[in-house]
Amino acid sequence: MLHLRLITPPERTDAVVRLIESTVGTAHLAVLPGAARDPAGDLVLCDVAREAGDELIGGLRKLEIDRTGSIAVDSVGLSLSRHADRAEREAPGEGADAVLWEQLTDVTHEESTLTVTYVAFLVIATMIAACGVVLDNAILIVGAMAVGPEFGPLAGVCTALVQRAPRLALRSLIALLVGFGAAMVVTVGFSVFMDAVGLFTEGRLEADRPNTGFVYAPDWFSFVVAVLAGAAGTLSLTSAKSGALVGVAISVTTVPAAANAAVALGYGDMEQTWGSTQQLLLNLLGILLAGTLTLLAQKAFWARQRERTAAKIAER
């Protein structure tokens, strides 16, 4: 269940209450006239099944409550109520499958913001991966994948394409390009420094690397894994199962490929640099393609669910 806390102008409270009462899957409606002070208005509280939340929030936005008042949404950890149980039974589909498009847009907007913290994480992850490729250490590669924050902007691009939000798309692309660009430039300098102090050597980079050689040798398996990871990552965001993102992060060769390209560039090995760059682009493409198609499929699925629910209500 989701808990909605609304501040509504007094002249729109009746319309809001009618909307809530007419939305399948709502419960626990409470209206406190004049309780809100900033902004001034009425306080309206209600719970809604997660699978009906997107429809209700969309209706509230059409009433411009987000502009004239406030819409706050929280997840309900535990709700012991027969009214809540009935609301969840009446709502279409399953809550775990539901997509809250407003929440998804907000989350990806935040995750795709080009901040110092985002760039720092990506730079650190790329430097860890640089150590991993030179030492041929798979553990360091996995660690670097887990630290990398690049899935946020990738999800932002997918969301922007489906929701037709050009500003979010531009914001996400800038975060990707600037983030990886900065990470690779810093990693080139890092590899030069490590070579100067004798910790990196060109011989190690050029030697057979059974554990990390895949980062500069793209193939169809790389693309297939990226597609599967992109779908899994998107599902984890839309279903609020963020724990799956860790698995997604360590499934794709983005940060390691960027690191290998940077180290190879520092040594002038253009063959490995180009191979790693291809690996990076192939993984990014696979994630973007899968993420976008997954969101489109979910959008179509929930549109059909709403149509079925509306048809059942009409029959009554």
Side-chain angles (χ1 to χ4, degrees):
M1 296 290 287
L2 300 173
H3 178 68
L4 271 65
R5 185 182 71 251
L6 313 173
I7 296 177
T8 67
E11 66 274 13
R12 299 195 181 186
T13 300
D14 288 342
V16 169
V17 170
R18 285 195 298 271
L19 173 65
I20 294 173
E21 290 178 336
S22 64
T23 301
V24 175
T26 58
H28 310 144
L29 174 62
V31 181
L32 287 75
R37 293 292 180 267
D38 184 20
D42 300 333
L43 181 63
V44 179
L45 307 173
C46 75
D47 292 339
V48 60
R50 179 181 172 86
E51 52 269 41
D54 188 64
E55 180 183 357
L56 179 56
I57 294 171
L60 292 169
R61 294 201 65 181
K62 288 182 180 178
L63 292 173
E64 298 186 338
I65 302 304
D66 55 323
R67 296 184 179 182
T68 58
S70 170
I71 303 173
V73 183
D74 295 311
S75 295
V76 178
L78 176 64
S79 180
L80 302 177
S81 165
R82 284 186 294 178
H83 297 283
D85 293 339
R86 185 181 69 245
E88 290 187 328
R89 286 195 303 269
E90 293 176 347
E94 296 293 333
D97 298 330
V99 181
L100 297 177
W101 291 101
E102 296 295 337
Q103 182 186 50
L104 179 62
T105 301
D106 184 67
V107 168
T108 53
H109 182 277
E110 181 180 349
E111 292 294 325
S112 62
T113 302
L114 185 63
T115 63
V116 173
T117 302
Y118 164 79
V119 175
F121 268 116
L122 195 51
V123 168
I124 292 171
T126 308
M127 290 193 293
I128 293 174
C131 296
V133 296
V134 172
L135 297 175
D136 193 32
N137 189 315
I139 295 176
L140 291 177
I141 294 295
V142 171
M145 289 175 171
V147 172
E150 73 278 6
F151 191 81
L154 289 168
V157 174
C158 298
T159 303
L161 291 174
V162 174
Q163 294 292 84
R164 299 179 182 178
R167 289 186 179 180
L168 178 59
L170 179 61
R171 187 187 194 97
S172 302
L173 287 173
I174 290 174
L176 276 175
L177 295 175
V178 175
F180 271 111
M184 292 176 73
V185 168
V186 172
T187 303
V188 169
F190 174 71
S191 63
V192 170
F193 169 78
M194 294 291 280
D195 180 79
V197 298
L199 295 177
F200 281 9
T201 63
E202 186 174 2
R204 283 184 168 181
L205 181 71
E206 302 295 342
D208 290 335
R209 289 188 279 143
N211 294 320
T212 60
F214 66 93
V215 300
Y216 61 89
D219 55 23
W220 280 109
F221 280 107
S222 301
F223 183 73
V224 170
V225 171
V227 167
L228 295 175
T234 303
L235 288 172
S236 73
L237 285 178
T238 57
S239 65
K241 295 184 182 297
S242 58
L245 281 177
V246 177
V248 172
I250 61 177
S251 299
V252 290
T253 316
T254 49
V255 168
N260 199 86
V263 176
L265 184 62
Y267 283 116
D269 186 341
M270 301 310 298
E271 183 179 353
Q272 281 202 39
T273 299
W274 175 236
S276 301
T277 303
Q278 287 180 303
Q279 180 75 277
L280 173 62
L281 295 176
L282 191 64
N283 276 266
L284 294 177
L285 176 62
I287 294 171
L288 290 174
L289 178 62
T292 303
L293 291 177
T294 300
L295 289 177
L296 286 172
Q298 289 179 296
K299 194 169 189 178
F301 172 78
W302 281 102
R304 292 185 63 183
Q305 288 288 94
R306 290 196 187 97
E307 290 176 0
R308 291 176 181 175
T309 303
K312 289 180 180 178
I313 293 175
E315 290 176 357
R316 298 174 186 173

